Amino acid sequence: MKHFSFTLPGRAAYVAATALLLNACAPAQDTPTPTAGLDLSHYLAVGDTYTAGVSAGGLTRASQQYSFPNLLAQQFQGISAGAAFTQPLLEAGSGTGYLNFVDFIASGLARTTRVAGQAFRGNLIITPGTCGTPDTTRLLARAATASALPQNLGIPGITLAQLEIVGLGNEVNAKPGTPFNPYFERLLPAADSRTYLQAVTDAAATATFFTYFQGLDDLMPYVRSGGQCGANAAALPSITVMRNNARKVLDRLTAKGQPGVIIRLPALTSLPFLRAGQGLGLQARLQASFGDTARIYIEDPIGLRGAQPITNGDYVLATAIARIGRPTPVVVNGATLMLPYGRDSRNPVRDADVLDNSEELSRIAGVMSSYNNELDRLASTIYKLPILTPSASTSTLDSEVLLFNQVAGIISVAGVQYSSEVVRGNFFSLDYYTLTPRGNGLLANTIIAALNRAYRTKIPAIDVNKLPATAQ
């Protein structure tokens, strides 16, 4: 069984490998001579929001075309005769809508407007009481590939906990209180009740290569809610369920000895949804903007103490940053006062607007760490994937070390800078979570560089600077 393994320990090793990667992205590069050390003729991509191609808060035909699997597949076609890649493309003018950039506010946050989605079918479904997930659902036009599963099985919003739910993609379940995913529904024929695991099993039967990048959509509802889901079904995800169900998917993907890339999840704090609101950095920006020395105060997450000064281990959610400092009514000693939100100890940032380091962040980080460790264990112990770097202890593509943590600083690709700042940073899109076309290009190039090293192939890198800065 021949699979792919890639990891690098720390920044020093990263610099050596990334130098080759970034040079390969330069516009003046000589195109590598394609050589096929892999059968990439039928590539299957499995995952959630990132794999599907969501960008700037929405899924559109353009964002699908710039998904990292589609960009990868375009490069694969140059070295594998007859290689093709099907996606469940939306029709032009349809989709969920997306965010459009307006300007920057004083805190450095990008101000956006929402461009409405078009060409929905069916009625609007409202599900009250959701936590960190959409409270409305609209059916989208069924994909042209619905008669045969597409090779991009990225499903926005799907969680590993939903892997074996019968009817998750059946329109009959499009009602409040019933598990249903409209993105999965549009991939299937009408009235199809197969589970997502069954769909993966069916698609994997003809696959010759795969990528697996799944799990962030299990974690993000907790993050978006500021850890306040409580007893709601979208509460802290089960480590056991995530680990067990990841193995079920990977067992199917590797059942016939197919080579593939298993991608570890990046640290949540490398995403601008959290990073933009990192405690002391946000506090300093607001002090400079307001011309004062006021601190940011947050609620005690367990309610035992009053307001407490923010630390650099606490993260105000990107969705709440614009409200920090705005006067809001607060009752103090029986009198209603207008106090700046979060910048007065009597009006601290609500716990739902922040992930604190002492409780909430440590919990969700623990889930992610356990999940990533299980991916490493599966890759090395169960699937016997080779370790590319002798000093490394993992057999997975470490997206944090190889890409996300580097972009959290600043990297340069052929003179163009990439960072974690939305808009100016070129990497993350306006929802402070998903990637731009260029960000997806860098992720694809990270995979390509790893494949070239592991298999001694010469898959051409993508000139990411020629990709658009936004998918719309």
Side-chain angles (χ1 to χ4, degrees), residues 294-300 305-309 326-350:
R295 288 182 170 186
I296 294 177
Y297 294 88
I298 63 174
E299 288 181 341
D300 174 24
R305 297 170 292 176
Q308 55 193 45
R326 289 182 184 175
T328 59
V330 180
V331 177
V332 179
N333 297 325
T336 300
L337 305 178
M338 297 297 291
L339 299 175
Y341 181 55
R343 304 191 83 230
D344 188 300
S345 61
R346 296 167 294 178
N347 190 15
V349 178
R350 296 184 305 115

Side-chain angles (χ1 to χ4, degrees), residues 227-250:
Q228 295 303 293
C229 290
N232 187 278
L236 194 68
S238 165
I239 295 174
T240 300
V241 170
M242 288 186 67
R243 289 163 59 112
N244 290 347
N245 285 358
R247 177 167 183 177
K248 290 177 182 178
V249 174
L250 289 167

Side-chain angles (χ1 to χ4, degrees), residues 187-261:
L187 268 61
L188 302 174
D192 193 324
S193 289
R194 83 183 88 173
T195 67
Y196 183 68
L197 183 61
Q198 289 171 327
V200 171
T201 304
D202 294 342
T206 56
T208 61
F209 176 82
F210 72 89
T211 57
Y212 173 86
F213 192 13
Q214 190 166 4
L216 277 175
D217 282 6
D218 290 73
L219 307 177
M220 287 304 293
Y222 184 88
V223 174
R224 291 191 184 100
S225 72
Q228 295 303 293
C229 290
N232 187 278
L236 194 68
S238 165
I239 295 174
T240 300
V241 170
M242 288 186 67
R243 289 163 59 112
N244 290 347
N245 285 358
R247 177 167 183 177
K248 290 177 182 178
V249 174
L250 289 167
D251 279 350
R252 271 65 173 183
L253 294 175
T254 60
K256 298 173 69 175
Q258 299 97 318
V261 176

Side-chain angles (χ1 to χ4, degrees), residues 30-55:
D30 293 327
T31 303
T33 302
T35 57
L38 286 171
D39 181 359
L40 301 170
S41 60
H42 202 91
Y43 161 43
L44 177 64
V46 172
D48 43 39
T49 290
Y50 270 34
T51 299
V54 173
S55 187

Side-chain angles (χ1 to χ4, degrees), residues 133-150:
T133 57
D135 59 2
T136 57
T137 300
R138 297 292 296 266
L139 297 179
L140 298 162
R142 184 163 279 108
T145 58
S147 60
L149 289 169

